[in-house]
Amino acid sequence: MQRRNFVKSTFGLAGAAVTGESITGNWHSQPTSLAKNTFKLKYAPHFGMFENSAGKDLIDQLKFMADNGFTALEDNGMMGRDVATQEKIAKEMARLGMTLGVFVLDKGGNSQNTLAAGKPEFIEIFLNGCRKAVETAKRVNTKFTTVVPGDFDRSLPIGIQTGHVIDALRRGADILAPAGLTMVLEPLSDTPNLFLRTSDQTYEICRAVNSPACKILFDIYHMQKNEGHIIPHINWCWSEIGYFQIGDNPGRKEPTTGEINYKNVFKHIYQKQKAENKEFIFGMEHGNSQPGKDGEVALIKAYVESDSFTV
């Protein structure tokens, strides 16, 4: 069977058999547009996810992603890349018709320089990060940057901490909004010390900031750990969600490897976004459950399966 027909049949049928040779073998010798728009949702792999199949070169990895049906990319570390690399990535993504999702706004680390403390020096670090993020976003053509407010300041009442966070984020939004850049706030499960923990807490803060430049990054992996009840929480927070991330639990690997019924979750989001003429990016912020090329094939199969819901 020719590869062109195989790719079409593989990604058109969730249950089709997929082999390492058929997906990863000689992939770069074929046009990169064969499998585009096969997936119903805009899944965004990250660099390194397909390194065994595509090699270490970032452009080759982009081509591999596009050739296997992925229409977006997520690169948390984009702000740390040199300008030439940023521009090279952006140029190739434009050629491939791919969309860039989030990069992390550099404020010194997830737990560092906490906005909850209300300290002017911490806020200035965050605002400088916003200014730099605007310049990065212009070069790489993205509309989203991830923000984590930092740890609790346990010397202060929770309401005071929340007020400090809101005040800082309003100032950040004033920098980002004119550039069309949205900070998506990510509640995390990594440690109980992190101030932002749940989707409803993030919803409350976004409503208070009251800016199109401040929305929720709903990471399904973290929210499954911290609050569960995924679909109802998505419904409750829907108006403030700007971006999704993916990872199964336990393990933080690809869908189908844990307890989350991603096929149902994806179907629910797909139907809601279609009804409102929205389109979200779904960052694949997880590891591979298996090593090597076989693990990369298994990951692609997992997304084919999870995306095979009926509409």
Side-chain angles (χ1 to χ4, degrees):
M1 179 184 288
Q2 291 185 351
R3 185 181 177 282
R4 177 185 297 272
N5 294 329
F6 181 83
V7 170
K8 286 183 177 178
S9 62
T10 296
F11 288 95
L13 298 173
V18 181
T19 67
E21 178 62 27
S22 55
I23 286 185
T24 64
N26 201 29
W27 62 271
H28 55 285
S29 66
Q30 300 292 335
T32 58
S33 59
L34 296 179
K36 282 185 180 179
N37 303 315
T38 299
F39 292 118
K40 300 180 187 73
L41 296 172
K42 213 171 187 67
Y43 305 115
H46 54 78
F47 289 124
M49 185 165 269
F50 300 115
E51 189 174 292
N52 292 286
S53 300
K56 293 185 180 298
D57 183 80
L58 300 184
I59 301 305
D60 283 345
Q61 291 183 43
L62 281 174
K63 292 175 181 176
F64 181 86
M65 294 172 194
D67 199 36
N68 282 284
F70 297 103
T71 55
L73 170 78
E74 184 171 280
D75 187 25
N76 284 339
M78 182 64 82
M79 278 190 76
R81 300 189 187 279
D82 62 81
V83 171
T85 300
Q86 291 175 354
E87 292 175 344
K88 186 177 181 181
I89 291 169
K91 181 179 179 180
E92 182 63 16
M93 290 188 69
R95 189 186 74 83
L96 294 169
M98 296 179 73
T99 303
L100 183 63
V102 294
F103 61 85
V104 173
L105 187 144
D106 185 6
K107 57 171 278 297
N110 283 351
S111 63
Q112 302 303 306
N113 305 310
T114 176
L115 304 181
K119 294 183 178 179
E121 61 268 32
F122 290 174
I123 295 171
E124 192 54 39
I125 289 170
F126 165 62
L127 297 179
N128 281 335
C130 289
R131 297 181 189 105
K132 293 176 182 177
V134 166
E135 297 307 310
T136 299
K138 288 178 182 177
R139 285 193 292 271
V140 299
N141 192 30
T142 187
K143 298 179 180 179
F144 299 101
T145 182
T146 303
V147 169
V148 179
D151 281 352
F152 285 102
D153 183 335
R154 299 188 186 277
S155 68
L156 297 172
I158 188 65
I160 302 301
Q161 294 182 66
T162 301
H164 287 162
V165 170
I166 292 167
D167 287 344
L169 294 177
R170 284 176 175 167
R171 293 180 64 184
D174 287 343
I175 295 170
L176 302 176
L181 183 59
T182 298
M183 57 180 160
V184 282
L185 309 181
E186 184 175 16
L188 295 171
S189 64
D190 297 329
T191 164
N193 290 324
L194 286 162
F195 172 82
L196 205 59
R197 299 274 299 164
T198 63
S199 61
D200 65 293
Q201 177 197 17
T202 315
Y203 174 90
E204 179 181 32
I205 289 171
C206 287
R207 297 294 288 179
V209 174
N210 193 29
S211 169
C214 183
K215 295 296 179 182
I216 299 170
L217 194 172
F218 196 106
D219 187 314
I220 297 168
Y221 163 76
H222 286 296
M223 293 304 90
Q224 174 69 2
K225 290 181 66 179
N226 280 356
E227 62 190 20
H229 216 39
I230 294 296
I231 288 177
H233 278 100
I234 289 172
N235 289 342
W236 292 328
C237 297
W238 181 257
S239 65
E240 298 301 321
I241 294 174
Y243 195 96
F244 286 94
Q245 284 180 333
I246 303 161
D248 215 338
N249 183 59
R252 200 173 185 178
K253 307 300 182 184
E254 68 267 19
T256 74
T257 59
E259 65 189 0
I260 303 173
N261 187 337
Y262 265 105
K263 186 182 288 188
N264 275 358
V265 173
F266 288 158
K267 179 177 181 178
H268 182 77
I269 298 171
Y270 175 85
Q271 291 176 333
K272 282 185 72 70
Q273 72 171 24
K274 187 175 182 181
E276 298 184 18
N277 197 29
K278 292 183 176 181
E279 184 179 55
F280 291 100
I281 297 172
F282 295 75
M284 295 160 57
E285 197 181 51
H286 56 74
N288 298 9
S289 64
Q290 302 174 43
K293 289 186 178 181
D294 288 345
E296 293 167 5
V297 172
L299 185 150
I300 295 171
K301 286 180 64 177
Y303 275 89
V304 171
E305 167 60 24
S306 299
D307 191 76
S308 67
F309 54 85
T310 56
V311 296

